[in-house]
């Protein structure tokens, strides 16, 4: 036996209010939308038909009049009283482009604030005026109206639910109508006062470009609370989209994506849409109107589909092109822009060659020759060497500088990725991470005579450093004020990791690791600077114990200077040298 579904209206309204709509305020948006759609429908058959929506708040009631297409009695049964039925879809069930609505559920939102909805409607296609009343409990009545409407159109009257009358007051309704409908192309009034503004702000006519810029700047100030650094016009014809991107004058937190204000056929969809722009573009806030992007059923977000993805990419290109133009026409302004928004631009430069060019030529990196753009750096140093961390940079910058080696601090967000992408601009560009042990190859080796004199010190040093798996290397280098340098090559880091893994493991696995370790010759090196007055005096020390203590102290100081992690045995050694030296000093 076939049956028809029954719908519990209260349950559906409950569902809408708790799970679909963020707030009961959407009821007014849905009423305005239906009024505008009805006028659009009437103008499709009669282009000269009047178009006006009058909203009249009363005592616990609200009336919305429109001069739209109206409904016949059969349409009232079919469209008003059937949930999910809409006149705004084509024969195949697709949303028709000229209308705002499509789902056939909008009218239900009236029950978020009202217990009764009265509709008095006369169709432009002929027929008598029909009176329909729907109740929140799911009942409805249809009757011929007591009085005929003189003109086609519809009046919807809401009777407030207990406790909800505040949603229908003149102040609230004016606020909501302005918020949702101020850009609508059809005149809307609340209690006789217009809430619509006419042209879209970015399409409005102005005496000259400067006047336009000023007006848009004032609009941005009113909307987002800042005076924009610049305004970028946006146009994506495939999405029927136009609008503006306002470049923020202050830095934005990349983790907090600013929302964008999106109008759908000039009715506000939401002012916190995030998906409209690529993630890197966090330095702009946009206002756009689109005819083709689709809303979700709550009409508070954009539906994620291919068109939205293409639109996002197209807007990204337009923002990027603005930056490229800025770089070629006004480098000083570009500098000011980068000073505030370099993170967003760098993020983009990792995947985009045009942006990479901008960063390469305009963004000063921290180098051991002062702040330099990568392009300038390359002019002085054919190879771009960078450190893996800021600590490593601080430790090695001066030493590398003294040996004539150029070094870029790779410790800042995205900088290493950017440097590594540079061969994409020109395959001849060489980029290398500095292997600290490689620095020692630039230091001067002692002559045979000095080597002889160094023997006692080196043997004392080997005794104390051997248990720490650290080699001693006597070299002469600048700056002379640095007595010792702790250098860990990449091989040495691997070897140390292997040693710790072996220490932590037992049995067979430990044996396997031991055999692997045997082949790893690299060790960290403590380079003693033979130009340092302290080290020179150490060479002359007659007592090997004292020399050992001095080496321990230099080892500890070099570790601390380079912010290297201190292992347990390193801390113990530091203590030992401190107490030992104290003991010597007090003898
Ligand atoms: N003011 C009006 N004038 C003429 N017809 C109306 C009016 N309001 C509603 N209707 C009719 O009632 C139908 C259902 O309206 P409802 O608001 O529930 O859904 P919709 O507007 O079609 O879609 P959506 O859920 O996306 O808003 C509409 O498709 C329209 O045919």
């Amino acid at each position: 036996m076939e049956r028809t579904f029954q719908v519990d209206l209260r349950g559906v309204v409950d569902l809408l209010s708790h799970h679909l709509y963020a707030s009961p305020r959407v009821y007014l948006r849905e009423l305005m939308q239906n009024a505008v759609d009805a006028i659009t429908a009437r103008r499709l058959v009669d282009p000269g038909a009047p178009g006006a929506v009058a909203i009249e708040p009363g005592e616990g009631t609200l009336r919305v009049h429109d001069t739209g297409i109206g409904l016949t009695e059969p349409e009232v049964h079919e469209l008003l009283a059937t949930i999910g039925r809409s006149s705004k879809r084509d024969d195949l069930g697709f949303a028709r482009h000229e209308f705002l609505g499509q789902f056939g559920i909008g009218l239900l939102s009236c029950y978020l604030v009202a217990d009764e909805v009265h509709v008095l409607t006369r169709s432009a296609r002929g027929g008598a005026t029909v009176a329909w009343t729907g109740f929140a409990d799911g009942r409805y009545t249809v009757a011929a109206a007591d009085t005929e409407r003189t003109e086609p159109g519809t009046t919807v009257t809401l009777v407030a639910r207990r406790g909800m009358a505040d949603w229908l007051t003149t102040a609230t309704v004016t606020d909501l109508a302005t918020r949702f409908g101020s850009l609508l192309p059809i005149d809307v009034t609340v209690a006789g006062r217009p809430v619509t503004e006419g042209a879209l702000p970015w399409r409005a006519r102005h005496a000259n470009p400067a006047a336009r810029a000023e007006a848009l700047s004032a609009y941005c100030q009113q909307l987002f609370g800042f005076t924009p650094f610049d305004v970028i016009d946006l146009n994506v014809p495939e999405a029927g989209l136009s609008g503006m991107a306002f470049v923020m004058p202050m830095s934005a937190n990349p983790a907090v994506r600013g929302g964008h204000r999106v109008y759908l056929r000039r009715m506000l969809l939401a002012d916190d849409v995030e998906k409209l722009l690529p993630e890197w573009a966090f330095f702009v806030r946009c206002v756009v109107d689109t005819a083709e992007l689709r809303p979700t059923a709550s009409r508070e977000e954009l539906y994620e589909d291919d068109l939205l993805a293409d639109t996002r990419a197209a807007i990204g290109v337009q923002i990027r092109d603005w930056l490229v133009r800025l770089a070629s026409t006004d480098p000083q302004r570009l500098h000011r822009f980068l000073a505030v928004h370099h993170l967003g631009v760098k993020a983009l430069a990792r995947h985009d060659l045009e942006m990479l060019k901008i960063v390469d030529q305009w963004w000063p990196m921290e180098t051991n020759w002062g702040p330099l753009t990568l392009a300038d750096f390359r002019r002085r140093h054919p190879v771009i060497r960078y450190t893996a961390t800021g600590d490593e940079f601080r430790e090695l910058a001066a030493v590398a500088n003294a040996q004539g080696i150029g070094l870029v601090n790779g410790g800042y967000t995205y900088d290493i990725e950017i440097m590594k992408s540079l061969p994409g601009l020109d395959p001849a560009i060489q980029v290398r991470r500095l292997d600290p042990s490689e620095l020692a190859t630039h230091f001067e080796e002692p002559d045979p005579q000095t080597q002889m004199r160094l023997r006692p010190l080196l043997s004392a040093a080997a005794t104390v450093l051997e248990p720490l798996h650290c080699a001693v290397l006597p070299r002469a280098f600048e700056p002379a004020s640095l007595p010792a340098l702790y250098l860990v090559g990449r091989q040495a880091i691997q070897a140390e990791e292997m040693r710790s893994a072996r220490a932590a493991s037992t049995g067979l696995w430990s044996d396997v690791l031991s055999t692997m370790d045997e082949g790893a010759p690299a060790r960290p090196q403590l380079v003693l600077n033979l130009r340092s007055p302290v080290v020179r005096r150490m060479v002359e020390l007659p007592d090997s114990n004292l020399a050992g203590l001095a080496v321990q102290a230099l080892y500890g100081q070099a570790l601390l200077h380079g912010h290297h992690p201190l292992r347990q045995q390193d801390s113990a050694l530091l203590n030992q040298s401190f107490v030992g030296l104290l003991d010597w000093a007090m003898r």
Side-chain angles (χ1 to χ4, degrees), residues 30 33-34 38 66 79 86-88 101-107 154:
E30 296 297 326
Q33 187 172 293
N34 281 345
D66 69 62
L79 295 166
S86 172
S87 59
K88 302 166 192 176
Q102 58 171 303
F103 299 111
I105 56 167
L107 200 63
T154 302

Side-chain angles (χ1 to χ4, degrees), residues 120 175 218 332 444 470 507 546-547:
L120 197 69
D175 267 5
Q332 284 208 328
E444 195 186 314
C470 179
L546 181 56

Side-chain angles (χ1 to χ4, degrees), residues 35-90:
V36 169
D37 279 346
I39 291 168
T40 307
R42 185 168 172 199
R43 284 181 169 172
L44 286 176
V45 284
D46 175 7
V53 181
I55 305 176
E56 290 172 5
E59 284 296 307
T61 63
L62 182 77
R63 275 180 228 288
V64 180
H65 305 279
D66 69 62
T67 57
I69 187 94
L71 295 165
T72 60
E73 188 178 334
E75 285 171 339
V76 164
H77 283 286
E78 187 202 333
L79 295 166
L80 292 189
T82 314
I83 295 169
R85 188 65 59 87
S86 172
S87 59
K88 302 166 192 176
R89 291 196 289 255
D90 61 19

Side-chain angles (χ1 to χ4, degrees), residues 95-107:
R96 283 177 56 189
H97 289 233
E98 52 277 40
F99 297 122
L100 292 158
Q102 58 171 303
F103 299 111
I105 56 167
L107 200 63

Side-chain angles (χ1 to χ4, degrees), residues 4-24:
T4 306
F5 280 108
Q6 302 293 306
V7 175
D8 174 1
L9 194 61
R10 275 192 199 287
V12 174
V13 171
D14 203 47
L15 187 72
L16 294 184
S17 56
H18 290 118
H19 299 288
L20 190 65
Y21 298 124
S23 149

